[in-house]
């Protein structure tokens, strides 16, 4: 199992074995989808395939279990989706946000023309800028924006926490209950650090917005 840029390996597996494959990792099945057609079929049967896995490191310890990404399918998930749909759920609603999207897109193009080597960073800032304006009415700063930095940091932690096979606690949840002085328990310190970053991503921009009202 790859430990970095796993999507590259998964894409190669897709070319070799097809649009949907299953991999066994320490006795746990992992489904890898490499086909838009397969994803569309899953989407049409969302009531069956909308379940989320329980991820001990990224979800329970780092804190993403409370986000829509890992919320199990059920009343809470449907309530989340309903609120999202009210603001970004249809083309008609999204047309109301065209001015924001166009503004951030122009900013993205200007930054990229100035320095094409920063394309990936500019793309992340484009996404962060749209999200921050839609959610908080906040326009990101040029250079290093503190809120974008918070979001990017938390997302990087989440991605690292969910690399398949990276943390044994995902396969043996009881490990998180063992004494921290035991060898191999350093993941708990890391989880606390990343959980704080997750909380800051949520609370800092929210509290900033409250102060502006």
């Amino acid at each position: 199992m790859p430990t970095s840029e796993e999507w590259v390996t998964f894409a190669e597996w897709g070319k070799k074995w097809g649009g949907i494959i299953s991999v066994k990792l320490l006795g746990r099945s992992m489904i890898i989808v490499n086909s838009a057609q397969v994803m569309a079929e899953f989407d049409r049967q969302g009531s069956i395939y909308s379940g989320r896995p329980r991820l001990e490191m990224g979800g329970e310890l780092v804190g993403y279990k409370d986000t829509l990404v890992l919320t199990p399918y059920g009343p809470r998930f449907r309530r989340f989706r309903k609120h999202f749909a009210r603001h970004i759920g249809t083309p008609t609603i999204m047309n109301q946000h065209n001015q924001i999207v166009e503004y951030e897109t122009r900013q993205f193009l200007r930054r990229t023309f100035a320095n094409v080597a920063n394309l990936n960073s500019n793309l992340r800032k484009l996404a962060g800028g749209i999200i921050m304006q839609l959610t908080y009415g906040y326009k990101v700063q040029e250079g290093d924006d503190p809120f974008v930095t918070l979001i990017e940091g938390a997302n990087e932690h989440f991605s690292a926490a969910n690399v398949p096979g990276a943390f044994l606690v995902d396969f043996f949840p009881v490990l998180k209950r063992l004494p921290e002085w035991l060898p191999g328990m350093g993941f708990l310190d890391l989880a606390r650090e990343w959980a704080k970053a997750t909380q800051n991503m949520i609370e800092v921009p929210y509290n900033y917005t409250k102060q502006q009202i």
Side-chain angles (χ1 to χ4, degrees):
M1 183 61 64
T3 57
S4 64
E5 296 187 344
E6 60 275 9
W7 58 89
V8 177
T9 300
F10 294 163
E12 291 299 321
W13 290 353
K15 293 175 184 177
K16 185 175 181 180
W17 289 304
I20 180 170
I21 59 178
S22 174
V23 176
K24 284 283 189 180
L25 190 61
L26 293 178
R28 177 179 292 182
S29 294
M30 181 172 69
I31 306 300
I32 301 169
V33 177
N34 276 292
S35 165
Q37 183 178 359
V38 173
M39 283 303 302
E41 183 61 30
F42 285 161
D43 192 51
R44 282 194 292 270
Q45 302 186 56
S47 62
I48 301 174
Y49 297 116
S50 291
R52 266 60 170 172
R54 179 186 172 97
L55 302 177
E56 294 297 332
M57 186 64 177
E60 302 299 314
L61 295 176
V62 175
Y64 270 76
K65 64 180 175 60
D66 296 320
T67 68
L68 182 63
V69 176
L70 293 180
T71 298
Y73 186 76
R76 187 167 184 259
F77 176 86
R78 291 193 294 271
R79 187 165 62 251
F80 276 17
R81 286 288 297 270
K82 179 181 178 180
H83 290 315
F84 269 87
R86 289 171 56 194
H87 297 285
I88 58 173
T90 68
T92 300
I93 293 174
M94 284 304 300
N95 285 339
Q96 301 173 17
H97 306 310
N98 281 346
Q99 186 175 354
I100 291 174
V101 175
E102 289 175 1
Y103 170 82
E104 291 298 337
T105 301
R106 286 195 298 269
Q107 295 296 95
F108 160 74
L109 292 173
R110 183 180 55 78
R111 297 181 193 115
T112 302
F113 286 148
N115 188 349
V116 70
N118 287 340
L119 177 61
N120 287 337
S121 175
N122 291 340
L123 283 168
R124 291 194 297 271
K125 196 161 192 175
L126 168 64
I130 292 172
I131 291 169
M132 291 300 296
Q133 280 218 58
L134 289 178
T135 308
Y136 302 108
Y138 172 83
K139 289 185 178 180
V140 299
Q141 303 173 11
E142 290 303 315
D144 293 330
D145 183 274
F147 297 137
V148 173
T149 300
L150 280 176
I151 294 170
E152 288 186 354
N155 286 339
E156 287 175 4
H157 297 157
F158 179 67
S159 296
N162 292 305
V163 172
F167 295 96
L168 284 177
V169 70
D170 284 324
F171 304 95
F172 306 104
V174 70
L175 289 176
K176 67 183 180 183
R177 305 189 184 281
L178 298 180
E180 293 190 36
W181 50 263
L182 288 173
M185 298 297 291
F187 71 90
L188 288 176
D189 279 335
L190 190 61
R192 277 191 289 269
E193 177 187 340
W194 290 356
K196 184 177 180 180
T198 302
Q199 195 65 26
N200 286 341
M201 175 187 68
I202 297 168
E203 297 292 342
V204 171
Y206 174 73
N207 289 330
Y208 170 84
T209 304
K210 282 176 61 179
Q211 293 169 6
Q212 306 307 305
I213 298 175

